């Protein structure tokens, strides 16, 4: 999630040069070339069932394709602050979906961590400078007030898509290895974005793109398609979905720190407090429980 925050922040200059669907298509293409050797079925992997194949498609369709559409058009019909506050619900949505679909038992401390995560992200979104301009005429002219309800529905859809991405990923780790999952959902992402990506590419002037942008695109593609997905799926093999969802708070925290350190942005005291609350949620989610400590002490005594 920290790495996701890095490339989200650094994708700002990419989005200023490359259309969104072209960027997504090239991202999946570059990632696919880098992961060709991960597509091969390992000798010890059982044949994929119809359910597993369906889950792989849903993982890419919901987590990559539909999430992007809902987020882009949701923000275009509302504003960045609304998006930030709505997206703060991701940890709670993951915990609820994990409880409903995976039958995971969510510990009380995990619920407290989820509440801290939601509160921290929401406070950060509300403290952003865009909030000052909510009543400004420029924003009213840009966003149609009559369609704000549709924008909120799309943002809620983005939250559900992201939560489903975590829950389905947890389910997939029970039958496939992290490398196979990463490469297969990337392949589906490339297939889903190819029609729109090709359409945009036909009229795009690639010669106008500088070498620095191409280098940043390479990092973005490798981080977004390969490194972060592999790390996420590897973690989900042993971490419950609800606990994993809490780590989404590291996305806005890291993105803001990159913005401050590399892009010349500023950080307010309220945003610092929001980050402290968000990071407290990670601490709560990762500290070992009393039962785990007792087991650890017993193991230590046995080994002696």
């Amino acid at each position: 999630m920290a790495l996701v925050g890095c490339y989200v922040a650094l994708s700002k200059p990419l989005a200023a040069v490359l259309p969104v669907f072209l960027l997504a298509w090239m991202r999946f293409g570059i990632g696919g070339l880098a992961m060709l050797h991960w597509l091969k079925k390992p000798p010890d992997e059982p044949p994929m069932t119809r359910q597993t194949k369906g889950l792989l498609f849903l993982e890419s369709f919901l987590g990559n394709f539909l999430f992007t559409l809902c987020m882009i058009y949701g923000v275009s019909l509302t504003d960045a602050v609304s998006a930030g506050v709505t997206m703060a619900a991701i940890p709670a949505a993951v915990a609820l979906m994990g409880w409903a679909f995976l039958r995971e038992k969510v510990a009380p401390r995990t619920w407290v961590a989820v509440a801290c995560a939601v509160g921290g992200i929401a406070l950060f979104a509300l403290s952003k400078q865009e909030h000052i301009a909510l009543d400004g005429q420029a924003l009213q002219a840009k966003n149609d007030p009559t369609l704000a309800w549709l924008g909120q529905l799309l943002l809620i859809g983005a939250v559900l898509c992201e939560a489903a991405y975590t829950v389905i990923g947890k389910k997939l780790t029970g039958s496939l290895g992290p490398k196979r999952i990463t490469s297969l959902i990337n392949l589906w992402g490339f297939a889903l974005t190819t029609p729109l990506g090709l359409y945009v590419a036909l009229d795009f002037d690639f010669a106008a793109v500088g070498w620095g942008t191409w280098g940043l695109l390479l990092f973005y593609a490798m981080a977004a398609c390969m490194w972060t997905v592999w790390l996420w799926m590897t973690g989900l093999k042993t971490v419950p979905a609800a606990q994993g969802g809490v780590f989404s708070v590291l996305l806005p925290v890291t993105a803001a720190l990159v913005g401050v350190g590399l892009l010349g942005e500023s950080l307010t005291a309220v945003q610092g407090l929001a980050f402290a609350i968000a990071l407290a949620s990670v601490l709560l989610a990762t500290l070992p429980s009393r039962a785990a400590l007792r087991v650890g002490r017993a193991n230590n005594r046995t080994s002696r």
Side-chain angles (χ1 to χ4, degrees):
M1 281 294 107
L3 189 55
V4 172
C6 289
Y7 78 66
V8 164
L10 294 175
S11 67
K12 289 183 179 180
L14 281 175
V17 177
L18 300 168
V20 172
F21 288 110
L22 179 61
L23 177 60
W25 182 54
M26 290 194 295
R27 164 191 131 176
F28 288 121
I30 294 171
L33 290 175
M35 289 185 285
L36 280 175
H37 59 296
W38 284 6
L39 282 171
K40 185 178 180 181
K41 178 181 174 297
D44 58 342
E45 181 185 293
M48 282 193 290
T49 64
R50 180 177 297 181
Q51 182 190 45
T52 301
K53 293 177 181 178
L55 288 175
L56 283 168
F57 170 76
L58 283 176
E59 180 79 339
S60 188
F61 178 72
L62 295 175
N64 290 329
F65 185 74
L66 198 59
F67 172 81
T68 301
L69 290 180
C70 288
M71 175 57 70
I72 291 173
Y73 292 108
V75 173
S76 69
L77 293 174
T78 54
D79 53 78
V81 176
S82 297
V85 174
T86 305
M87 298 306 286
I90 288 176
V94 172
L96 289 172
M97 280 193 179
W99 170 77
F101 296 105
L102 301 179
R103 303 301 179 189
E104 288 185 349
K105 184 179 180 181
V106 183
R109 191 174 66 176
T110 301
W111 282 119
V112 175
V114 167
C116 287
V118 172
I121 300 174
L123 180 60
F124 170 71
L126 290 171
S127 67
K128 293 179 73 173
Q129 293 181 355
E130 290 93 335
H131 187 61
I132 301 174
L134 277 178
D135 296 325
Q137 295 181 354
L139 188 59
Q140 293 294 334
K142 181 180 178 181
N143 299 323
D144 187 351
T146 61
L147 293 178
W149 63 271
L150 178 58
Q152 287 295 342
L153 284 179
L154 289 170
L155 291 175
I156 292 172
V159 169
L160 296 177
C161 286
E162 185 65 16
Y165 177 81
T166 298
V167 173
I168 294 173
K170 176 67 177 177
K171 181 75 173 177
L172 285 171
T173 58
S175 55
L176 298 175
K179 291 182 178 179
R180 275 274 283 172
I181 297 172
T182 304
S183 59
L184 288 170
I185 64 175
N186 183 83
L187 190 62
W188 268 119
F190 181 75
L192 289 168
T193 55
T194 290
L196 288 171
L198 270 177
Y199 177 77
V200 176
L202 291 175
D203 294 325
F204 185 75
D205 184 11
F206 289 93
V209 180
W211 286 108
T213 301
W214 290 120
L216 190 58
L217 174 63
L218 179 62
F219 166 78
Y220 173 70
M222 297 297 290
C225 295
M226 189 175 185
W227 303 333
T228 56
V229 182
W230 174 77
L231 286 168
W232 189 248
M233 296 301 166
T234 302
L236 283 177
K237 284 181 69 69
T238 54
V239 175
Q243 190 177 10
V246 173
F247 284 83
S248 64
V249 303
L250 290 175
L251 196 162
V253 170
T254 311
L257 293 178
V258 171
V260 171
L262 299 180
L263 303 179
E265 299 177 1
S266 59
L267 192 66
T268 66
V270 177
Q271 289 172 338
L273 175 63
F275 287 162
I277 296 172
L279 291 175
S281 70
V282 176
L283 189 64
L284 282 170
T286 53
L287 283 175
S289 64
R290 292 180 180 178
L293 288 173
R294 286 196 296 267
V295 171
R297 294 192 191 104
N299 290 337
N300 287 335
R301 286 195 295 269
T302 304
S303 63
R304 290 172 186 172

